[in-house]
């Protein structure tokens, strides 16, 4: 629609066009949100499956996963270090 044609439209016609455009926009926004949610779910699933495959391959080749033991002990050491520093700073 040209500018000339648009200028000739009545107020009611313009409001009708705006209303229809808004309905289309709302529908597109809803579809966009649904697709983003679906994409996020698929991405999370792919990441989880990839991690499981990598873990399985690592276990098959090297045995137990060392990260689990190291992560647990490292986090315990960090927590105890944090507590020691915290209790020392209170004195």
């Amino acid at each position: 629609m040209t500018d000339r044609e648009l200028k000739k439209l009545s107020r009611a016609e313009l409001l009708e066009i705006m209303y229809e455009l808004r309905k289309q926009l709302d529908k597109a926004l809803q579809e966009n949100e649904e697709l983003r949610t679906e994409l996020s779910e698929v991405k999370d699933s792919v990441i989880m499956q990839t991690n499981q495959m990598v873990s399985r391959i690592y276990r098959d080749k090297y045995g137990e996963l060392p990260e689990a033991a190291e992560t647990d002990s490292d986090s315990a050491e960090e927590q105890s270090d944090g507590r020691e520093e915290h209790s020392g700073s209170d004195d």
Side-chain angles (χ1 to χ4, degrees):
M1 181 173 284
T2 65
D3 286 345
R4 176 180 274 175
E5 292 171 327
L6 196 59
K7 289 179 183 179
K8 289 183 179 182
L9 295 175
S10 69
R11 180 180 175 95
E13 291 169 321
L14 290 171
L15 288 172
E16 182 65 27
I17 290 171
M18 289 174 60
Y19 175 74
E20 290 300 321
L21 288 172
R22 183 60 199 208
K23 281 181 18 180
Q24 290 176 10
L25 176 61
D26 290 343
K27 183 178 178 182
L29 290 171
Q30 181 180 358
E31 182 180 355
N32 183 294
E33 185 60 34
E34 291 168 0
L35 289 171
R36 285 178 183 269
T37 301
E38 184 179 341
L39 176 62
S40 178
E41 291 169 358
V42 169
K43 183 181 97 174
D44 291 346
S45 176
V46 168
I47 289 171
M48 185 180 359
Q49 290 173 5
T50 302
N51 288 341
Q52 290 172 349
M53 289 174 59
V54 168
S55 296
R56 193 175 320 121
I57 291 168
Y58 188 92
R59 274 194 304 271
D60 290 347
K61 187 166 183 158
Y62 300 108
E64 296 273 333
L65 293 174
E67 302 107 38
E70 290 176 10
T71 304
D72 292 341
S73 64
D74 289 346
S75 63
E77 288 174 7
E78 289 173 5
Q79 288 176 355
S80 67
D81 290 343
R83 284 187 218 127
E84 289 170 5
E85 289 176 22
H86 180 68
S87 62
S89 63
D90 284 343
D91 290 337

